Amino acid sequence: MLVLVGCEESQIVTQAFRAKGHDAYSCDLQPTRGDASIHYQADIFDVIPKKQWDLIILHPECTAMALSGNRWYGQGMSLHQQRLDAIQWTKRLWNLACYQSQRVALENPASVIFQHLNADLVQYIQPWQFGHGEKKKTGLALHGLPELQPENIVEGRNETIWRMPPSPTRKRDRSVTFTGIARAFVNQWSF
C-alpha cells in the first residue's frame, strides 16, 4: 500500500507500516526524528495531491481544538478565534484527503473537530486497549475504514501523558502515537 501519515514527525505510524512492507511516508512542517528519506518536510496540502494514496492517516495539531482547552479556546474566551481557524484548516485537510484517497483516518484527542467533519463514523479508543496501561481518550474520524478493534487489553489506567511536567518538548511528546495503536492501524487497515 502507498500510505501517507500527515502531521507526523515522530514516524511511529509510518515506521509501523514500513515494518510490514508498505510504502509509507510521513509529512510534517518539522524535520522528522526518524528516516528523512521517507519524510516530506513540507505543507501537507502540497503533499496530498502528489500521489493517489491508498491510505491517509492525519494527526492535525490539536491544541486549539481539544476539549481540554475550552477554558482558553471556548466560545467567549480570548483564544476562540484560534479554535475557529484550526477547525477551518482541519476541515480543508479532511476534505482534500477524502478527495485524494478512499481510505482516510483523522486522529485527535477528545475534540470539537469531529462534529465538523463529514466522516463515515467517529470512534474513541484508549491506549490500554492496545497494550499500553495508559489513559488517553483518542478520537478517530474514519472515511472508508472500519472501526479499530482492541487488540491487547491490559491492566493499568495511568495518566502519564496528562501528568507530564512542563518542558520544551512536552507538547511534541504528548502527541506521539502509542506503538500498539500504530500496529493496530497496520493490522486492521492494510490490504
Side-chain angles (χ1 to χ4, degrees), residues 69-143:
N70 281 350
R71 64 181 171 177
W72 299 284
Y73 298 97
Q75 185 141 6
M77 302 317 229
S78 61
L79 300 177
H80 185 62
Q81 187 59 49
Q82 288 182 31
R83 174 171 278 179
L84 297 177
D85 294 344
I87 290 168
Q88 288 308 310
W89 185 90
T90 306
K91 282 173 55 177
R92 280 184 45 233
L93 178 63
W94 173 259
N95 290 336
L96 177 61
C98 291
Y99 176 79
Q100 199 67 24
S101 178
Q102 293 180 8
R103 294 171 193 84
V104 180
L106 184 143
E107 174 275 333
N108 235 225
S111 169
V112 298
I113 192 56
F114 298 112
Q115 64 189 323
H116 298 281
L117 302 178
N118 186 20
D120 295 342
L121 57 103
V122 174
Q123 78 168 122
Y124 288 93
I125 59 172
Q126 290 278 356
W128 54 262
Q129 296 174 303
F130 300 92
H132 305 274
E134 184 76 42
K135 286 174 64 175
K136 183 184 179 190
K137 186 177 181 182
T138 303
L140 298 170
L142 303 173
H143 167 75

